[in-house]
Amino acid sequence: MINRFTLPATFAALLLGAFVSAPLAADGHTDASPEASSDPGTEVSEERLRSDMDTIVGFGTRHTLSTQTDPNRGVGAAVNWALDEFGRMSADCGDCLEVMPVSRVVEPDGRRIPEPTLVRNAVAIQRGTERPNEVIIVQAHYDSRVTDPLNGTDDAPGANDDGSGSVMVLEAARILSQREYPSTIIYALLTGEEQGLYGAGILADWVGEQGMTVKAVLNNDMIGNSCGSDGYCEPDVVRVFSEGLRADSTDRLRALQRRFGGENDSPGRNLSRWLANLAAEYPDGMQVRQIWRTDRMGRGGDQIPFLDRGYPAVRVTVAVEDYDHQHQDLRVEDGVTYGDTVDELDWTYLTRASVLNVRALNHLAMAPMPPSVAADGAVRTDTELRWSYPAGATHFRYYNRRTDEAHWGSGVKLTPLDDVAEKDGTVTIAIRSRADDWIFGVEACNGAYCSPVSSAVPGGAFEPVEQPEPAAE
C-alpha cells in the first residue's frame, strides 16, 4: 500500500512515499512536552539527599573488603540498610518494589580481591505495567575506598565517590515508585566497583539470565562536586560519557561498518544525544556535555560491564573532578585537606544532577523501545528505511543528518492512522535522498515521550550484537 504524507516544505522533497502495513500521516511539528505538573524532577528533595548521605557515610567505610558482619560499620551494614530502605519505599507504594540482594562470591583475582569475597548489590525492581521485561537501570556504586585499594579498615566516607550517585538512586526510587510506568525501572546500588567493576558485572549477568531487554543504563558515578582541586568550577553541566564503536562488536559487524558506517552511532552514543536533548528542554536545569569516549582517559566505571554485554549504557559524572577529594586517605598534608568527605559536596549541584536523572528515568520508562532500523540506499537515487514497530508506540519521528554532523536535528513525525493491533510489525518508507551522504534514524514515541533515536547503521539497534558460534574443538 502506498500512503501519502502531508509534510512541511523542507521535508516534502525527501519522502517519496510509504509502504506500510497500516497508513501513516506525517507532520513536522514538535511533540508537546509533558505538563510541568507531571514533572517528577520537581519532587527531588535536597533535605532527603542530605539525610541519606549522613546515613551511608555513618557506616565509616563501605569498602568491598570491609566487614560484612558488623551491624553498624562496613559494607555489610551499609547494604543491609539500603535493602531495608528500599523495603520501606515499597511499603509506601503498596509493595510495588521487588527488593533483593543480587550477589555472588568473587574468587581471588591477584589484584584487588585477595580472598573469596561476597559482592552484594542492593537492588529494587519497579515492574512495568505493560512491558515488564523492558528495563531501564539507574545505578551507582555504593562501595568506597581510600588511597590503598586494599585498605578495607580505615574510614572511607566516599561522599562524592560514589555516595552522591547512591543517594540519587535512593531519591529516584522514592519518587518514581509513587507512579506507574509501562516499562520496568531497576534501582541498583553496586559494590565491588573499586575492586574491578565486579558488582556491575554481577548485575549485568543477572539481567541477562532473567531474559530482560535493556533500554538504557544510566550509571551515575560522582555527581556531587562542581569545582576541581585547581579551583576551576562548572556548576551547570554534567558530563555524559558514551562509547563509539560497540564493545560487543564482532568481525562481521566491523566489516559491515566499514562498508555502511556506524562508527558514531552506537546505542550508547544515541542515548547520550537523547539525554543532552532532554536536558536542553529545561534550560534552567542541569545541562549535559557529551564526552565521546567510553570513560575518562585510562579509567573506567560500572557502565562498562553492561557495554561489554551489548547493553546501551552511559556514565553521568561531574564536569570537573576534584582529585584531592577522591581515593584519598583522610589527612591534612602541607596545608591541604584530603579525603572524600561530606563537607566538600556541592549540594545544589547534586540536587540538580538528581533532577536530571529523575526526569530521564520518567521519560525512558514512559517511552517505547527504540525501533530497529535498516537503510537500503546502495546504487540507487533514493533510500528505503525499514524499522520495527515497538510495543506501546503511538507514532514515530524520522531523522537524518549529514555524515559529518554530530547531532540529530528536527525530525518528521509519522503517525499511524489505523489501530496498532492491525500492524504486522514493520514500517517502510522511501526517501528522496542518496544514502551515501546521510545517516538516518528513527525514534518511537508514546505521546510526548520518545525513545532515543536508533540509527539505521550496522550495530545501531538497542540490542546485543549476535555473537558467532564458538569454533568446534
Side-chain angles (χ1 to χ4, degrees):
M1 177 187 297
I2 297 178
N3 300 281
R4 299 187 181 277
F5 293 78
T6 302
L7 291 171
T10 52
F11 292 99
L14 291 179
L15 295 179
L16 289 173
F19 308 89
V20 258
S21 54
L24 298 175
D27 65 52
H29 300 295
T30 302
D31 300 318
S33 297
E35 294 296 326
S37 61
S38 69
D39 176 13
T42 61
E43 301 175 34
V44 172
S45 165
E46 180 182 323
E47 181 180 0
R48 288 194 298 261
L49 293 170
R50 286 177 177 269
S51 177
D52 287 341
M53 183 68 74
D54 288 342
T55 299
I56 66 175
V57 167
F59 292 109
T61 178
R62 304 185 303 281
H63 196 288
T64 301
L65 303 180
S66 64
T67 175
Q68 303 213 26
T69 57
D70 190 308
N72 300 309
R73 180 179 175 84
V75 69
V79 172
N80 289 340
W81 175 84
L83 291 168
D84 290 344
E85 187 64 15
F86 280 139
R88 286 185 283 271
M89 297 176 198
S90 185
D92 289 341
C93 63
D95 296 325
C96 73
L97 299 177
E98 299 173 33
V99 180
M100 65 189 73
V102 177
S103 60
R104 187 167 69 215
V105 173
V106 176
E107 297 300 324
D109 64 0
R111 294 179 62 253
R112 296 187 177 183
I113 300 290
E115 59 186 15
T117 301
L118 176 63
V119 174
R120 277 199 313 159
N121 302 317
V123 175
I125 303 173
Q126 182 178 346
R127 295 284 180 182
T129 57
E130 299 175 15
R131 303 183 298 278
N133 282 337
E134 180 183 297
V135 304
I136 304 99
I137 301 171
V138 60
Q139 62 183 32
H141 78 83
Y142 199 38
D143 57 315
S144 62
R145 59 165 284 190
V146 288
T147 305
D148 179 358
L150 295 177
N151 182 345
T153 57
D154 288 352
D155 281 354
N160 192 29
D161 185 17
D162 184 27
S164 59
S166 297
V167 298
M168 181 281 295
V169 170
L170 291 165
E171 181 70 353
R174 198 173 283 120
I175 293 168
L176 298 179
S177 62
Q178 297 299 313
R179 302 172 178 229
E180 291 187 344
Y181 293 98
S183 304
T184 291
I185 305 175
I186 296 178
Y187 309 94
L189 299 180
L190 310 174
T191 64
E193 193 267 358
E194 302 288 9
Q195 308 312 111
L197 313 182
Y198 285 107
I202 291 167
L203 181 60
D205 285 342
W206 182 85
V207 165
E209 292 163 2
Q210 306 309 305
M212 294 175 169
T213 299
V214 179
K215 186 187 300 180
V217 179
L218 304 182
N219 180 50
N220 283 259
D221 192 345
M222 295 189 294
I223 57 170
N225 73 275
S226 58
C227 296
S229 53
D230 59 355
Y232 178 72
C233 301
E234 285 202 61
D236 300 318
V237 176
V238 291
R239 292 181 295 171
V240 175
F241 287 80
S242 63
E243 71 173 2
L245 297 174
R246 294 185 60 140
D248 65 333
S249 188
T250 62
D251 289 343
R252 179 177 182 275
L253 176 56
R254 283 186 286 272
L256 287 171
Q257 288 181 329
R258 288 189 72 184
R259 299 179 65 195
F260 297 99
E263 303 89 342
N264 196 27
D265 283 85
S266 69
R269 184 62 46 82
N270 276 326
L271 177 59
S272 173
R273 291 181 173 112
W274 178 90
L275 191 57
N277 289 340
L278 176 67
E281 293 180 12
Y282 301 88
D284 295 331
M286 186 68 79
Q287 298 303 299
V288 166
R289 174 182 298 131
Q290 297 186 70
I291 308 296
W292 285 355
R293 52 168 50 108
T294 302
D295 209 311
R296 302 144 302 156
M297 294 189 70
R299 303 168 73 189
D302 278 337
Q303 75 279 11
I304 290 176
F306 289 89
L307 293 169
D308 289 343
R309 291 156 178 80
Y311 300 134
V314 295
R315 178 194 178 109
V316 183
T317 192
V318 294
V320 185
E321 285 194 58
D322 182 354
Y323 304 116
D324 291 347
H325 299 102
Q326 62 174 267
H327 297 182
Q328 295 282 357
D329 291 338
L330 302 179
R331 68 192 191 280
V332 177
E333 189 175 288
D334 296 328
V336 178
T337 301
Y338 294 89
D340 191 356
T341 53
V342 173
D343 59 298
E344 295 294 336
L345 294 173
D346 180 336
W347 287 101
T348 299
Y349 187 94
L350 174 52
T351 302
R352 296 176 74 209
S354 299
V355 170
L356 174 61
N357 273 274
V358 169
R359 285 172 173 161
L361 293 167
N362 179 64
H363 277 69
L364 287 167
M366 289 296 296
M369 277 294 297
S372 178
V373 191
D376 181 6
V379 198
R380 54 191 290 178
T381 59
D382 65 345
T383 303
E384 181 183 277
L385 286 186
R386 179 180 296 273
W387 65 86
S388 60
Y389 207 111
T394 59
H395 65 277
F396 303 94
R397 296 195 73 86
Y398 148 78
Y399 293 83
N400 66 307
R401 72 176 202 272
R402 291 284 185 182
T403 59
D404 61 347
E405 288 181 321
H407 307 294
W408 302 107
S410 298
V412 179
K413 182 178 177 181
L414 305 174
T415 304
L417 301 180
D418 287 354
D419 189 88
V420 172
E422 297 178 6
K423 296 176 172 56
D424 68 358
T426 61
V427 180
T428 305
I429 64 174
I431 303 163
R432 187 177 287 115
S433 183
R434 287 172 169 80
D436 293 346
D437 299 349
W438 300 91
I439 300 291
F440 303 97
V442 177
E443 66 183 7
C445 302
N446 168 24
Y449 301 96
C450 294
S451 73
V453 174
S454 181
S455 296
V457 297
F462 278 57
E463 61 189 23
V465 174
E466 183 177 351
Q467 299 296 311
E469 293 291 332
E473 295 183 1

